[in-house]
């Protein structure tokens, strides 16, 4: 099972800043192991962030993104106590969803 | 006597001890051999450290435990202050005698392009390296050589323009070979590894490095 | 004539060297580290460590919540900033890793031998690293305050100092070969001068750290292990005396400097 994300979301003057740290190998599929075999590609393909139930960001990820990716973004709206939900899906069909309350 | 009166006296003694330490060992060394008792204590500590340098390590791959035992030069240079001039001279003489001069009497014949590869590679002799053959020289770890290589260390002096600045007299060519073979022959406590004597590099590899330093076509001299 | 040639040669050297050579300032990665610090992936290891701290594990099926890191059972806040220290219950000077290993053995029944004989980032030693990430994060911003008054601490410090200057191995290196002067570099990597308090603190307060170049979290034991590898010595045993002695030496010299844990490195 995929490891949890660390999400921070803070609202100030009507703008919410969200910072997400994901635990993922983000294997490109281009690398070889010590035995010379290709390490299969394994990377996040999609990320969705919801404020309460409304999508505020959807992003396509790919193999060029680093291991353990970090993403920060801001959106208009959001208030203390609101729910912030982030979901990613990878090329193997694994996914992970975590949520926090906006502070 | 009041407490107040003792304090400045004690302070003076401490200061004197500190100053003695400074003069003898530099600011960092413990005042080791200041008195016979302190000298004996330091020797006892030294013996326990030697013991620890064996018991805290294990042999892995090509990195065997004999690496934990110091030779005369390593031991003499295991202090923040280098040994006295007489000791240095004696050690350097001994190291000078270990230098193997070119087997055919000729310092040339190397390929500067091979030399460049050896100078750039810092690989070899760790416990994760499979064999002790084909090591790098690790020159760029500490020296600038080709001015086009920006990732050059600064522990050793810059060798940019080596032969262009120093020429190629027999004296400088001979010195360079000797320095590459056993740097401790010229400065017993040099930071530079003993490439030939320590079997880090082969005679052929040292010949390539000579070409990298002396060949007018080498980027070092451009 | 000769003098003229000399001058020309110097002119050429300067023209080539000046635009191409990098100064120390240009090759330091502070700005890069500052950018990374915001999303330091060491947090992922910290989260795992926090979970491990409260999870009942091992043959004794116990948590680590009664582990005494020096400030009393279960106290994590500020504990790492005061390590290594002398522990009366073991009669030994222990760093964070050897102390956690002791707790795992005594509280959870996980044998220390498994960790000592293991590999970094794997098995129980890997879990130990996550626990380290958790514990050090709770000393972030605290001044290093290592108490060297106990004779065994003083002894470890003295041994550590000797080891720092101990030249040995295939290339005659000691720690001081690379870390004995200000403003030096290996290739493009800046080397702190560990003979000074400031330089020692630069190292001690920035490790453990997440390494961006290989996506790995390295504890201080791991850092020292790789120093010895590059020094071309034999392999140091995990949590052995030499690693504790060097840790005491560095930590004590760092007293008063602020812990930046967990660090982030390129």
């Amino acid at each position: 099972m995929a490891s949890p994300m660390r999400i921070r979301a803070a609202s100030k003057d009507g703008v919410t800043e969200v910072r997400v740290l994901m635990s993922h190998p983000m294997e490109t599929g281009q690398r070889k192991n010590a035995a010379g075999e290709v390490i299969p590609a394994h990377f996040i393909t999609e990320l969705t962030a919801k404020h309460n139930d409304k999508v505020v960001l959807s992003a396509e990820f790919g193999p060029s993104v680093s291991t353990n990716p970090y993403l920060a973004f801001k959106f208009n709206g959001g208030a203390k106590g609101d729910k912030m939900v982030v979901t990613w899906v990878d090329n193997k069909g694994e996914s992970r969803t975590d949520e926090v309350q906006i502070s | 006597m009041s407490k107040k009166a003792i304090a400045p006296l004690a302070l003076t003694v401490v200061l004197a001890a500190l100053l003695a330490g400074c003069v003898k060992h530099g600011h960092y060394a413990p005042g080791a051999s200041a008195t016979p008792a302190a000298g004996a204590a330091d020797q006892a500590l030294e013996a326990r450290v030697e013991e620890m340098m064996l018991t805290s390590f294990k042999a892995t791959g090509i990195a065997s435990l004999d690496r934990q035992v110091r030779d005369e030069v390593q031991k003499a240079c295991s202090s923040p202050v280098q040994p006295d001039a007489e000791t240095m001279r004696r050690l350097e003489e001994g190291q000078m005698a270990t230098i193997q001069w070119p087997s055919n009497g000729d310092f040339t014949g190397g390929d500067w392009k091979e030399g460049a590869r050896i100078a750039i590679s810092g690989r070899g002799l760790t416990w994760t390296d499979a064999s002790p053959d084909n090591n790098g020289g690790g020159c760029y770890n500490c020296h600038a050589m080709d001015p086009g290589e920006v990732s050059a260390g600064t522990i050793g002096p810059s060798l940019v323009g080596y032969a262009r600045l120093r020429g190629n007299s027999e004296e400088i060519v001979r010195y360079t070979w000797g320095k590459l073979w056993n740097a401790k022959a010229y400065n017993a406590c040099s930071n530079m590894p003993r490439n030939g004597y320590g079997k880090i590099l082969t005679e052929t590899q040292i010949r390539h490095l000579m070409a990298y330093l002396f060949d007018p076509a080498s980027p070092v001299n451009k | 004539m000769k003098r003229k040639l000399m001058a020309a040669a110097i002119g050429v050297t300067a023209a080539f060297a000046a635009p191409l050579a990098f100064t120390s300032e240009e090759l330091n990665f502070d700005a890069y580290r500052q950018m990374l610090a915001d999303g330091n992936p060491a947090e992922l290891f910290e989260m795992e460590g926090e979970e491990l701290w409260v999870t009942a594990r091992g043959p004794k099926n116990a948590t680590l919540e009664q582990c005494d890191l020096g400030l009393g059972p279960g106290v994590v806040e500020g504990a790492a900033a005061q390590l290594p220290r002398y522990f009366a219950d073991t009669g030994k000077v222990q760093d964070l890793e050897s102390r956690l290993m002791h707790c795992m053995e005594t509280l959870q029944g996980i044998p220390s031998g498994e960790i000592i004989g293991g590999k970094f980032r794997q098995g129980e030693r890997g879990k130990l690293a996550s626990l380290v990430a958790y514990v050090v994060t709770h000393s972030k911003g605290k001044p290093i305050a290592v108490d060297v008054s106990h004779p065994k601490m003083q002894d470890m410090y003295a041994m550590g100092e000797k080891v720092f200057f101990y030249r040995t191995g295939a290339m005659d290196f000691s720690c001081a070969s690379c870390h004995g002067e200000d403003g030096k570099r290996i290739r493009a990597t800046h080397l702190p001068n560990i003979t000074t308090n400031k330089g020692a603190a630069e190292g001690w307060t920035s490790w453990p750290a997440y390494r961006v170049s290989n996506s790995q979290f390295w504890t201080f034991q791991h850092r020292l292990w790789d120093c010895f590898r590059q020094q071309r010595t034999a392999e140091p045993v995990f949590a052995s005396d030499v690693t504790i002695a060097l840790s005491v030496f560095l930590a004590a010299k760092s007293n008063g400097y602020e812990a930046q844990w967990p660090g982030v490195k390129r």
Side-chain angles (χ1 to χ4, degrees):
Chain A
M1 198 191 78
S3 303
M5 285 175 252
R6 172 152 284 195
I7 307 170
R8 291 197 181 91
S11 163
K12 198 187 169 190
D13 304 328
V15 176
T16 301
E17 184 177 19
V18 184
R19 294 181 292 159
V20 188
L21 189 58
M22 292 153 258
S23 177
H24 202 282
M26 299 300 288
E27 241 349 298
T28 62
Q30 307 289 315
R31 300 200 308 161
K32 288 177 180 169
N33 64 15
E37 299 148 346
V38 172
I39 305 170
H42 186 201
F43 54 85
I44 295 172
T45 52
E46 272 178 66
L47 178 136
T48 311
K50 285 182 186 170
H51 165 229
N52 292 330
D53 287 322
K54 184 183 160 220
V55 174
V56 289
L57 178 93
S58 78
E60 288 181 5
F61 273 50
S64 64
V65 176
S66 80
T67 305
N68 300 329
Y70 173 67
L71 173 75
F73 63 94
K74 291 176 182 172
F75 67 91
N76 287 324
K80 283 188 188 16
D82 286 1
K83 197 166 69 169
M84 197 69 225
V85 184
V86 180
T87 302
W88 58 250
V89 180
D90 71 21
N91 66 325
K92 290 188 177 176
E94 289 171 19
S95 77
R96 172 89 208 181
T97 299
D98 289 283
E99 65 172 76
V100 290
Q101 283 194 341
I102 296 173
S103 66
Chain B
M1 206 191 240
S2 78
K3 211 172 182 182
K4 254 182 200 156
I6 297 173
L9 187 71
L11 192 67
T12 313
V13 173
V14 170
L15 267 177
L18 276 176
L19 284 172
C22 284
V23 172
K24 206 162 170 93
H25 302 282
H27 78 287
Y28 196 65
S33 51
T35 65
D42 187 64
Q43 271 182 15
L45 179 64
E46 187 78 20
R48 287 171 53 229
V49 170
E50 283 180 347
E51 170 80 13
M52 179 172 79
M53 289 302 284
L54 278 169
T55 55
S56 284
F57 289 81
K58 59 181 179 183
T60 303
I62 61 170
S64 54
L65 273 179
D66 56 17
R67 292 189 179 190
Q68 301 309 109
V69 182
R70 295 173 295 180
D71 75 357
E72 188 187 24
V73 166
Q74 291 174 331
K75 200 166 179 171
C77 299
S78 290
S79 146
V81 193
Q82 74 180 37
D84 59 68
E86 170 51 27
T87 307
M88 289 290 281
R89 196 194 54 76
R90 184 177 53 76
L91 292 171
E92 284 157 11
E93 250 178 46
Q95 294 299 299
M96 188 65 83
T98 72
I99 297 173
Q100 279 177 33
W101 302 100
S103 44
N104 59 356
D106 183 1
F107 294 95
T108 65
D111 174 355
W112 71 258
K113 288 182 186 132
E114 283 297 321
R117 275 192 275 277
I118 295 162
I120 284 170
S121 169
R123 297 195 71 89
L125 294 172
T126 73
W127 62 72
T128 49
D129 289 301
S131 88
D133 304 325
N134 205 17
N135 299 321
C139 310
Y140 277 101
N141 285 349
C142 299
H143 297 284
M145 299 179 90
D146 174 351
E149 175 55 80
V150 293
S151 178
T154 58
I155 292 174
S158 168
L159 305 176
V160 171
Y162 191 81
R164 183 162 48 75
L165 298 174
R166 292 167 183 79
N168 58 355
S169 66
E170 198 196 326
E171 193 191 357
I172 189 71
V173 169
R174 209 178 147 76
Y175 161 78
T176 306
W177 180 281
K179 184 81 183 174
L180 284 167
W181 194 278
N182 187 343
K184 270 69 170 180
Y186 304 87
N187 169 7
C189 294
S190 166
N191 280 326
M192 185 164 153
R194 293 172 281 186
N195 297 306
Y197 174 70
K199 296 197 162 47
I200 299 165
L201 299 175
T202 63
E203 180 175 334
T204 308
Q205 285 181 306
I206 285 176
R207 216 175 272 279
H208 291 319
L209 284 177
M210 289 292 283
Y212 192 48
L213 289 168
F214 283 101
D215 194 326
S218 161
V220 173
N221 295 314
K222 289 291 177 188
Chain C
M1 186 61 200
K2 206 171 182 187
R3 204 170 268 173
K4 247 184 202 162
L5 272 180
M6 199 63 167
I10 289 167
V12 171
T13 309
F16 274 116
L20 288 170
F22 278 59
T23 64
S24 268
E25 290 70 38
E26 286 169 300
L27 281 176
N28 96 30
F29 295 88
D30 286 351
Y32 179 64
R33 270 195 287 271
Q34 272 165 23
M35 282 164 66
L36 291 167
D38 189 28
N40 186 350
E43 284 188 29
L44 297 168
F45 295 86
E46 178 211 338
M47 285 166 74
E48 194 188 330
E50 187 172 14
E51 184 80 26
L52 281 166
W53 185 262
V54 297
T55 304
R57 293 199 318 122
K60 295 187 181 174
N61 197 34
T63 74
L64 290 168
E65 288 162 298
Q66 288 304 304
C67 177
D68 184 354
L69 298 170
L71 302 178
V75 181
V76 172
E77 193 68 26
Q82 296 184 33
L83 288 169
R85 66 160 67 218
Y86 171 75
F87 286 89
D89 59 354
T90 56
K92 279 184 189 163
V93 173
Q94 292 174 307
D95 67 345
L96 175 56
E97 282 153 280
S98 52
R99 188 62 187 177
L100 282 169
M101 186 164 76
H102 166 78
C103 286
M104 287 163 79
E105 180 163 276
T106 53
L107 298 173
Q108 299 181 312
I110 296 164
S112 291
E114 195 177 317
I115 296 166
I116 293 168
K119 287 198 157 85
F120 285 108
R121 307 192 305 113
Q122 292 176 25
E124 287 299 331
R125 201 194 281 188
K127 292 195 167 66
L128 176 63
S130 296
L131 286 161
V132 165
Y134 165 60
V135 175
V136 297
T137 303
H138 285 268
S139 283
K140 189 187 181 81
K142 296 218 161 43
I144 304 297
V146 171
D147 180 1
V148 284
S149 61
H150 193 279
K152 289 207 174 176
M153 282 293 282
Q154 286 175 15
D155 190 49
M156 275 296 185
Y157 182 94
M159 301 264 272
E161 184 175 40
K162 286 264 185 204
V163 172
F164 185 83
F165 291 101
Y166 198 99
R167 297 187 73 163
T168 197
M171 293 188 181
D172 307 329
F173 294 144
S174 69
C175 306
S177 303
C178 292
H179 294 288
E181 283 182 77
D182 284 335
K184 296 291 183 186
R185 296 197 321 254
I186 283 187
R187 303 296 305 253
T189 304
H190 164 73
L191 301 161
N193 178 359
I194 294 174
T195 66
T196 68
N197 291 350
K198 183 174 174 284
E202 217 180 296
W204 184 255
T205 64
S206 67
W207 292 93
Y210 181 83
R211 301 193 68 171
V212 176
S213 54
N214 58 13
S215 315
Q216 297 175 2
F217 176 75
W218 279 26
T219 63
F220 202 77
Q221 284 281 335
H222 199 158
R223 174 63 272 182
L224 281 179
W225 175 85
D226 201 56
C227 283
F228 279 120
R229 190 182 65 84
Q230 295 184 72
Q231 201 182 319
R232 272 77 179 183
T233 63
E235 186 179 1
V237 175
F238 184 82
S240 61
D241 282 352
V242 75
T243 65
I244 307 294
L246 278 172
S247 295
V248 170
F249 177 62
L250 260 87
K253 286 175 79 71
S254 308
N255 270 340
Y257 287 87
E258 199 177 282
Q260 313 289 325
W261 301 323
V264 62
K265 307 275 178 179
R266 79 195 157 88

